Amino acid sequence: MHSNRIGKGQTINAGDDIGIVSRRISIVSRCIGIVSRRISIVSRRISIVSQRISIAGYYLS
């Protein structure tokens, strides 16, 4: 009887741990998504600036 109760307790604890881990993974993935979006915006701005610089350099030369 005792071994069965311990086994059930362990499975419940494991389920809770999996839930916590999955929640953390979802939070981390959301953060990564936000960061990647910001990086893409910044890279787009850099590409626009570099195009303008190249055009300016073309006219100056």
Side-chain angles (χ1 to χ4, degrees), residues 6-48:
I6 290 164
K8 284 179 184 175
Q10 284 180 339
T11 53
I12 289 164
N13 287 340
D16 289 343
D17 289 342
I18 289 164
I20 291 163
V21 169
S22 63
R23 212 174 300 154
R24 284 184 185 171
I25 288 166
S26 65
I27 291 165
V28 168
S29 63
R30 209 176 300 155
C31 291
I32 289 167
I34 291 163
V35 168
S36 64
R37 210 175 301 153
R38 286 184 182 172
I39 288 167
S40 65
I41 290 164
V42 168
S43 64
R44 209 177 301 153
R45 286 181 184 170
I46 289 167
S47 66
I48 290 164

